[in-house]
Amino acid sequence: METIKVEVSWSGKNYGGGWGCPEIGAVICSGKSLEEFKAEFAAALEFHVEALLADGESVPQWLVNKDYEVEYDLKASALLRQAEQFTTMAALSRVTGINQRLLSNYASEVKRPRPEQMRRIVEGIRQIGQNCLALC
């Protein structure tokens, strides 16, 4: 089984991103929510493969047979926007020690976090989730 890695970021008021494959080109889409983005990506990929086949183009058999899984790689902007449903930048700032304004810049893609900062953000979101679970 193949893995399709889709990079997802946040721009304007939408999640957006895509995936490229040398044999078939690129599939790019957007959505107002992460769930909508995922649904749009699945539909766009299926449409793209069907159109290539209809045009007589060569398409890898694993794509034709849908022998793949889609893995979504949320960039800092998409991850922070998704986390806003459950927490605030202020709470995440307290847990991670990262300045709230800097977190907002990451969420807006004004700046991009270094790998160490990204690790702290992910760990902070996990910690907030664990703290919420401990309440029950």
Side-chain angles (χ1 to χ4, degrees):
M1 180 171 283
E2 299 287 329
T3 301
I4 294 175
K5 293 186 178 187
V6 180
E7 286 193 3
V8 183
S9 60
W10 175 265
S11 181
K13 295 184 180 192
N14 290 299
Y15 292 91
W19 168 76
C21 176
E23 295 95 354
I24 69 162
V27 177
I28 299 170
C29 64
S30 67
K32 294 282 183 197
S33 68
L34 188 56
E35 294 76 23
E36 181 181 323
F37 173 83
K38 289 178 178 182
E40 289 292 327
F41 180 81
L45 178 59
E46 187 173 330
F47 176 80
H48 189 68
V49 170
E50 287 173 2
L52 289 171
L53 290 171
D55 289 344
E57 298 287 334
S58 174
V59 178
Q61 199 60 41
W62 61 269
L63 276 170
V64 175
N65 296 339
K66 298 182 182 179
D67 188 25
Y68 57 82
E69 62 183 11
V70 180
E71 183 179 294
Y72 296 95
D73 178 21
L74 274 62
K75 298 302 174 194
S77 58
L79 180 64
L80 288 167
R81 293 298 178 187
Q82 186 67 11
E84 282 182 326
Q85 297 178 67
F86 312 106
T87 190
T88 64
M89 292 292 178
L92 191 54
S93 176
R94 285 190 299 274
V95 171
T96 62
I98 300 171
N99 181 289
Q100 186 176 342
R101 179 173 283 165
L102 186 55
L103 287 171
S104 292
N105 284 336
Y106 293 155
S108 301
E109 286 214 342
V110 171
K111 294 186 176 188
R112 294 194 177 163
R114 297 182 316 272
E116 175 60 23
Q117 290 286 77
M118 189 65 179
R119 186 193 63 73
R120 289 172 60 190
I121 292 167
V122 170
E123 288 301 317
I125 291 169
R126 286 183 180 147
Q127 184 176 349
I128 290 169
Q130 289 171 348
N131 291 345
C132 289
L133 287 172
L135 294 172
C136 301

